[in-house]
Amino acid sequence: MESPLYVSVFLVLCIFILSSAHGQSPGPEPFGRFQAVETKETLRETATKFLLFENQMDKGCRIRLNHSDTLQQCGFNSSLPLVVIIHGWSFDGLLESWIWQLVATLKSPLVQPVNVVLADWVILAYHQYSVAVRNSRLVGQEVADLLQWLEESAQFSPSNVHLIGYSLGAHVSGFAGSYMRGKHKIGRITALDAAGPLFEGTSPSDRLSPDDANFVDAIHTFTQEHMGLSVGIKQPIAHYDFYPNGGTFQPGCHFLEFYKDIAKHGLNAITRTIKCAHVRSVYLFIDSLLHPSMQSMAYLCSDMDSFSRGLCLSCKKGRCNTLGYHVRQEPRGKKSKQLFLMTRAQSPFKVYHYQIKMQFINQTEKPVEPAFTLSLLGTKEDMQKVPVTLGEGITSNKTYSFLITLDLDIGELIMIKFKWENSAVWANLWNTVQIIIPWGREPHFSGLVPKSIRVKAGETQQRMTFCPENMDNLQLHPTQEKTFVRCEVNSENRKRKIR
Ligand SMILES: *[C@@H]1O[C@H](CO)[C@@H](O)[C@H](O)[C@H]1NC(C)=O
Ligand SMILES: *[C@@H]1O[C@H](CO)[C@@H](O)[C@H](O)[C@H]1NC(C)=O
Ligand SMILES: *[C@@H]1O[C@H](CO)[C@@H](O)[C@H](O)[C@H]1NC(C)=O
Ligand SMILES: *[C@@H]1O[C@H](CO)[C@@H](O)[C@H](O)[C@H]1NC(C)=O
């Protein structure tokens, strides 16, 4: 799948991160009056700018620590919760555009009213990566100072605070949590693809961890390793760690899209593409705000392999949870829960997960490439020809389990059509083979016999069993399709036929 151009762009990115992590590259110069960490003591202001937004179009109003008048001036409402957005490492000294989209979404009528603050620490983030990492502790301290001051001067409890940190900002949130004195912890921290380099494998006190807030959730979207490094952290760091599409990479961020982008946006496309999977975490989060009725469900699973076999679609005992803003906040101990889900390539990202379990009897003797599709007919919608990958040939009477995902809510499933998708050429060949080869003395059987199909719908937790509609001829040959209906219904039909 990976093309050379895609790989080389990646190498450039990784070399950049590597060299800056080792201090070999000069990196961009700091700008402004702030030279680095040491400047803090000499200034009365925090290096981090805290900007409060009153409405969607707002440019932000600066809240100054220890100046209670700025709270009034900026319109801070202490009876509402506070969301603090914390950006990550900056390689161009600019605030990224997702920030304004997240602010606007949080301030939209779709969301219960909240105070929205941006912790703008670009001045400390626009350095070599390793310097920005060092600075992230200071920013964490300043965020903690802000929250402590709000508690003391406005009786605003830190438990009403939700920090949303992207990339390096996720660890800033963690540091803020660990610098909180007093008896109240920060209410919630959301990590949007928390940074990996210099954090992966470190002790919980050196990165975001579940101790840093009453509830911590993390969305991992770009943990694919290149030269031993990944942009996003892979290890669990939260109470609930979500791994959309396995967490390594995201649909829609591949080379082909990248190539289209280059033609359209020139060099800008390169950074956009590199960031695509990383920043997807933000867009998944925004999506959860924009589509209250289309919340993506994720399921506890040991790994992506089991998940893609459809083995993990259970919601029993808190095994599933909603990705994004409306996550069910249920901190149970310090152990992280790793949840998996699939998504679409664009918003709305939600898909509907189904486990399909099929038992086959393989009566063929010639090797064939199994290529199957399922068409699903529901009470609301139909989905045609969803490809099925079994990953292996059907060698015996085994039951196969696999995951399929649908972009639409088809309602309750009422009929399944199972098709063996082989070319017409193949079908002819098959038939020829059937005729030429004598199949032995017994009345010869040849073909695949798909027996019952068991389905579990993740989103509704409904289990159903489907039986062949026509029991007379169960064998399936290439290019043929068999229809399955709900067994209960079917048996009633048969009863009716008998009468
Ligand atoms: C705010 O006040 C506290 C205590 O009075 C002090 O320790 C802190 O340095 C002040 N911070 C700023 C940014 O003025
Ligand atoms: C603060 O928020 C509360 C709850 O939404 C609202 O009733 C009140 O009017 C707000 N106060 C101000 C000053 O906007
Ligand atoms: C059925 O079994 C035969 C013999 O083991 C194998 O060659 C063939 O590929 C199998 N068919 C399918 C559809 O997997
Ligand atoms: C598969 O099942 C059929 C019918 O139930 C049986 O005749 C056949 O021996 C079984 N084959 C294997 C490999 O278990």
Side-chain angles (χ1 to χ4, degrees):
M1 278 296 283
E2 291 187 347
S3 68
L5 179 53
Y6 174 70
V7 170
S8 63
V9 166
F10 245 105
L11 291 183
V12 170
L13 171 77
C14 292
I15 289 163
F16 185 46
I17 291 179
L18 254 184
S19 61
S20 49
H22 293 128
Q24 288 157 3
S25 138
E29 282 300 306
F31 68 94
R33 295 174 294 140
F34 302 94
Q35 283 301 306
V37 183
E38 317 78 68
T39 50
K40 188 210 172 190
E41 277 71 35
T42 61
L43 288 157
R44 308 208 57 136
E45 304 245 41
T46 52
T48 310
K49 275 198 275 178
F50 295 106
L51 300 172
L52 184 85
F53 297 86
E54 271 212 277
N55 57 53
Q56 287 183 273
M57 306 305 291
D58 206 345
K59 281 278 150 245
C61 169
R62 183 159 185 187
I63 291 180
R64 294 188 152 77
L65 242 78
N66 299 351
H67 294 270
S68 297
D69 50 329
T70 59
L71 285 179
Q72 271 94 60
Q73 282 158 21
C74 292
F76 183 79
N77 186 338
S78 58
S79 57
L80 298 177
L82 166 64
V83 174
V84 183
I85 301 167
I86 307 175
H87 63 80
W89 178 51
S90 172
F91 52 81
D92 55 9
L94 301 172
L95 289 173
E96 294 166 282
S97 58
W98 63 262
I99 294 175
W100 315 114
Q101 294 172 42
L102 182 53
V103 168
T105 312
L106 285 165
K107 277 291 174 191
S108 77
L110 285 167
V111 182
Q112 292 286 316
V114 285
N115 296 291
V116 177
V117 163
L118 167 66
D120 172 355
W121 64 288
V122 154
I123 241 154
L124 296 173
Y126 181 46
H127 290 275
Q128 292 172 31
Y129 180 71
S130 59
V131 175
V133 167
R134 232 182 300 136
N135 289 348
S136 65
R137 280 184 181 270
L138 166 69
V139 181
Q141 178 68 63
E142 291 188 339
V143 172
D145 289 347
L146 172 81
L147 302 185
Q148 228 111 41
W149 168 65
L150 284 175
E151 186 173 21
E152 284 152 22
S153 67
Q155 285 71 55
F156 188 84
S157 168
S159 57
N160 281 330
V161 176
H162 178 185
L163 304 183
I164 302 175
Y166 168 63
S167 193
L168 194 45
H171 299 294
V172 169
S173 309
F175 293 134
S178 57
Y179 290 135
M180 292 296 289
R181 303 175 308 270
K183 58 179 192 293
H184 294 296
K185 276 192 179 185
I186 290 174
R188 176 178 172 191
I189 294 175
T190 297
L192 302 177
D193 211 31
L198 303 183
F199 292 99
E200 191 94 59
T202 59
S203 77
S205 59
D206 291 328
R207 55 166 171 83
L208 174 64
S209 68
D211 325 307
D212 294 326
N214 292 331
F215 182 75
V216 181
D217 57 321
I219 303 177
H220 303 257
T221 51
F222 192 21
T223 65
Q224 195 163 68
E225 265 185 36
H226 289 267
M227 296 163 63
L229 268 184
S230 59
V231 173
I233 201 164
K234 202 179 200 126
Q235 72 186 94
I237 49 172
H239 291 108
Y240 281 94
D241 287 84
F242 292 85
Y243 295 87
N245 307 295
T248 46
F249 199 66
Q250 298 304 314
C253 293
H254 276 288
F255 167 71
L256 275 179
E257 284 91 335
F258 169 66
Y259 199 75
K260 260 188 288 175
D261 251 5
I262 280 226
K264 214 162 64 191
H265 305 282
L267 279 184
N268 243 349
I270 295 183
T271 47
R272 274 190 38 168
T273 305
I274 289 171
K275 278 198 289 192
C276 176
H278 195 33
V279 82
R280 178 63 59 83
S281 55
V282 177
Y283 290 109
L284 288 169
F285 191 82
I286 290 178
D287 191 59
S288 75
L289 292 160
L290 289 179
H291 300 102
S293 64
M294 293 190 78
Q295 299 295 304
S296 289
M297 191 60 82
Y299 307 86
L300 188 74
C301 201
S302 56
D303 54 62
M304 190 55 189
D305 186 51
S306 309
F307 188 74
S308 35
R309 284 193 283 140
L311 301 178
C312 302
L313 298 183
S314 170
C315 283
K316 285 200 188 114
K317 295 184 186 157
R319 280 205 181 83
C320 68
N321 206 337
T322 328
L323 173 134
Y325 192 69
H326 303 289
V327 66
R328 190 180 70 250
Q329 297 187 34
E330 202 180 52
R332 286 225 189 110
K334 288 186 178 175
K335 204 165 169 344
S336 297
K337 286 186 172 166
Q338 293 174 252
L339 276 63
F340 292 77
L341 71 156
M342 306 302 285
T343 73
R344 281 159 39 86
Q346 321 91 31
S347 175
F349 289 103
K350 182 187 177 73
V351 298
Y352 298 80
H353 301 80
Y354 293 87
Q355 178 191 20
I356 309 280
K357 269 164 98 175
M358 289 186 78
Q359 197 201 343
F360 289 100
I361 299 169
N362 178 358
Q363 295 168 329
T364 68
E365 288 175 13
K366 292 275 154 196
V368 277
E369 274 292 305
F372 305 112
T373 58
L374 287 179
S375 297
L376 305 170
L377 284 73
T379 48
K380 290 188 198 161
E381 297 276 350
D382 299 347
M383 285 298 285
Q384 299 297 325
K385 301 212 172 172
V386 182
V388 168
T389 17
L390 293 178
E392 51 188 316
I394 297 160
T395 46
S396 63
N397 295 346
K398 219 171 112 185
T399 300
Y400 291 80
S401 174
F402 48 91
L403 178 77
I404 61 163
T405 59
L406 305 181
D407 290 3
L408 287 177
D409 176 11
I410 60 166
E412 197 177 316
L413 191 53
I414 44 185
M415 189 190 274
I416 299 177
K417 288 183 177 169
F418 183 73
K419 186 167 185 200
W420 189 343
E421 292 283 346
N422 275 90
S423 65
V425 177
W426 224 108
N428 279 334
L429 187 64
W430 176 272
N431 291 334
T432 317
V433 167
Q434 304 295 300
I435 296 158
I436 296 171
I437 299 179
W439 290 97
R441 298 119 244 147
E442 298 300 310
H444 68 258
F445 286 122
S446 159
L448 284 178
V449 181
K451 297 188 81 180
S452 60
I453 304 181
R454 273 177 290 158
V455 179
K456 175 163 189 189
E459 277 61 27
T460 60
Q461 293 291 294
Q462 196 182 11
R463 289 172 181 278
M464 291 154 276
T465 309
F466 291 80
C467 293
E469 186 183 45
N470 176 1
M471 299 298 277
D472 303 339
N473 181 10
L474 295 177
Q475 283 181 19
L476 180 68
H477 296 168
T479 70
Q480 274 189 347
E481 187 172 68
K482 288 264 180 255
T483 302
F484 290 76
V485 291
R486 295 282 284 274
C487 292
E488 314 82 74
V489 178
N490 193 38
S491 55
E492 260 169 40
N493 280 349
R494 262 185 288 165
K495 264 185 230 152
R496 243 179 274 140
K497 267 186 208 163
I498 291 166
R499 270 184 215 137

